[in-house]
Amino acid sequence: MDSLSRHRLFSARREAEGYLELGLPDQALRSLQRRGKLVHGDGHGCYLMGEALREMRRHDEAVIPLRRSLELIPDDIHAALALAWCYKRCGLLQNAIEVLQQALEIEPGEAILHYNLACYWSLAHDRRRALQYLANALEIDGNFRDMVHYEPDFDPLRSDPLFRSLTGSC
């Protein structure tokens, strides 16, 4: 890539990041789309495009750039989390689980990966795996305990005695 292309890509990414910080995903997406091929060949650019689409609740469309981002940067857990989040909302729960399992191989100490896997296994009605991943998340970062009470993904487990014990629910 020549220096002019690098500059254009850097500018588009910076502009998109600014728009996303301001809560303007439409503008972020337009900024990235103007640089089409450059963005498609850049992992971070694809991630930003996926994030813009995700914030616009266009989850099925967000899957494409987020998958591309992971192809280009396979160890990017943020892209993995965003992709799994979109898969879940597209009704592809098993795909979401697979993406996070792969991310966990790269970053086994990331509590958010364990937590989200616990959520997804709960939705899949796999009590054992859900509780295992939740226990791991809470061991790594006890602050997740506060989130459990408001997380609807755990509704299938709310009456489970081990879940209640693990989370401190009465």
Side-chain angles (χ1 to χ4, degrees):
M1 180 184 311
D2 62 46
S3 64
L4 180 58
S5 295
R6 268 194 305 276
H7 175 72
R8 286 180 177 159
L9 176 62
F10 178 77
S11 294
R13 286 187 345 199
R14 223 174 67 209
E15 188 176 317
E17 287 169 344
Y19 282 132
L20 287 171
E21 282 182 33
L22 293 172
L24 301 168
D26 295 9
Q27 289 86 338
L29 183 61
R30 279 197 294 276
S31 151
L32 294 164
Q33 287 174 328
R34 282 195 303 269
R35 300 289 181 227
K37 288 183 182 181
L38 288 174
V39 171
H40 184 72
D42 178 67
H44 188 63
C46 288
Y47 169 73
L48 292 170
M49 184 173 280
E51 279 294 286
L53 290 163
R54 187 171 77 101
E55 286 187 25
M56 296 164 67
R57 292 179 168 71
R58 292 165 55 183
H59 305 116
D60 54 335
E61 293 175 66
V63 164
I64 296 166
L66 290 170
R67 270 198 324 233
R68 177 70 176 146
S69 178
L70 275 178
E71 287 173 13
L72 296 168
I73 312 171
D75 61 347
D76 185 347
I77 67 163
H78 300 290
L81 284 162
L83 178 58
W85 200 86
C86 288
Y87 276 145
K88 174 192 169 196
R89 278 143 188 90
C90 290
L92 301 168
L93 193 56
Q94 191 56 45
N95 291 29
I97 289 169
E98 289 170 13
V99 166
L100 292 187
Q101 293 284 154
Q102 291 169 0
L104 202 57
E105 290 175 17
I106 295 164
E107 291 289 341
E110 281 292 331
I112 188 72
L113 295 173
H114 291 273
Y115 183 83
N116 281 13
L117 277 165
C119 289
Y120 298 165
W121 282 117
S122 173
L123 291 172
H125 301 284
D126 189 323
R127 174 191 173 276
R128 184 186 60 79
R129 285 186 176 143
L131 292 173
Q132 175 189 354
Y133 282 108
L134 182 57
N136 291 344
L138 297 176
E139 184 177 320
I140 295 167
D141 185 349
N143 291 320
F144 280 96
R145 188 170 276 105
D146 297 335
M147 296 170 56
V148 170
H149 305 290
Y150 307 103
E151 180 56 64
D153 291 352
F154 291 124
D155 287 351
L157 296 174
R158 297 257 180 241
S159 62
D160 185 277
L162 188 51
F163 176 83
R164 295 167 67 87
S165 171
L166 188 63
T167 61
S169 299
C170 298

